[in-house]
Amino acid sequence: MPTTPATAANISSNGTAEAIMLELVDENGTTIGTAEKLAAHQAPGQLHRAFSVFLFDEQGRLLLQRRALGKYHSPGVWSNTCCGHPYPGEAPFAAAARRTYEELGISPSLLAEAGTVRYNHPDPASGLVEQEFNHLFVGLAQAQPSPDPEEVGETAFVAADELAKRHAEAPFSAWFMTVLDAARPAIRELTGPSAGW
C-alpha cells in the first residue's frame, strides 16, 4: 500500500507515534478547535467533524465494508462504504475521496455532497462515543475494491431489499442507519426509483 498522509501521520521522523488530530465544531459545524482522535471519542465525546461515503455500482447496489478486527473503534461490524474524519483544515470532500482510496483502493466517480447530519451514538462494546457533525457523500464505484486489510475485513455490494436481511443478521455500526437515512434523498436521486432506496 502506498504511504499517504493518513498512514504517514501515525509515525514521526523519530519513529514514535504522533497523535491524529480531529477538528472540533459547534452545533452549526463551525470549527472551534482540535482534539486528539481517541480523546474526542471518549465519553461523553466531543463534537467533531466527520464524513460518510455511500458508493453504488451500476445496478444500484450499495458497497458495504466490514471494519477490520484490529480497529480500536467498532471492529468487525458492517458499515457504509467509507467513513472517517478530515484532518484539521482539510475539506470534507477531499477527505472522503482520500480515505475511500486509502481504505478500498478505489476512486469514487461522480462523488456528490448529500447534506450533513449530527448525532451522538455511544458504542456499548468499547465505551467510546461518536459525537459527530457528519458530512454525507454519494457516488459511484466503477472498479472492484482492493481493500487495505488493516482497515477493511471484507466488502459486499447489496441491493436495497438485501440490506434489511443483512442488517438483521449481522452487527452494523451504531451510526449506520442514521447516516443512511440522512443520505437517502441523494441516494434516490443517484440510483433512481427502481433501485428501491
Side-chain angles (χ1 to χ4, degrees):
M1 184 178 100
T3 300
T4 65
T7 55
N10 292 329
I11 305 296
S12 69
S13 58
N14 66 7
T16 60
E18 284 185 17
I20 296 173
M21 303 302 288
L22 305 185
E23 199 169 85
L24 300 180
V25 299
D26 65 15
E27 293 292 336
N28 299 311
T30 303
T31 303
I32 58 171
T34 60
E36 190 276 324
K37 183 178 179 181
L38 184 57
H41 288 88
Q42 290 173 335
Q46 298 177 70
L47 184 59
H48 58 275
R49 195 175 308 284
F51 65 82
S52 289
V53 177
F54 297 86
L55 296 185
F56 296 82
D57 66 9
E58 292 179 358
Q59 290 79 47
R61 298 180 304 167
L62 172 60
L63 175 59
L64 297 176
Q65 69 155 277
R66 187 174 62 81
R67 294 166 61 86
L69 292 174
K71 294 189 75 82
Y72 77 92
H73 187 359
S74 301
V77 301
W78 287 92
S79 199
N80 50 292
T81 307
C82 181
C83 54
H85 309 93
Y87 294 126
E90 182 182 26
F93 183 92
R98 172 180 58 78
R99 284 302 290 162
T100 300
Y101 181 76
E102 290 171 353
E103 290 188 11
L104 295 162
I106 55 175
S107 296
S109 302
L110 302 173
L111 192 64
E113 293 183 18
T116 59
V117 63
R118 192 261 195 254
Y119 53 79
N120 178 357
H121 286 298
D123 175 28
S126 67
L128 299 175
V129 177
E130 287 291 1
Q131 183 89 254
E132 295 186 331
F133 187 94
N134 197 306
H135 297 257
L136 308 171
F137 298 93
V138 300
L140 298 176
Q142 295 184 310
Q144 282 300 310
S146 178
D148 175 353
E150 292 192 12
E151 297 286 344
V152 180
E154 62 183 298
T155 61
F157 282 97
V158 298
D161 57 356
E162 297 172 306
L163 180 62
K165 182 176 186 228
R166 183 179 285 262
H167 193 264
E169 293 174 350
F172 272 70
S173 64
W175 62 87
F176 175 74
M177 288 308 298
T178 301
V179 293
L180 176 63
D181 288 343
R184 278 187 199 274
I187 290 169
R188 289 184 188 116
E189 188 174 328
L190 176 72
T191 62
S194 62
W197 293 102

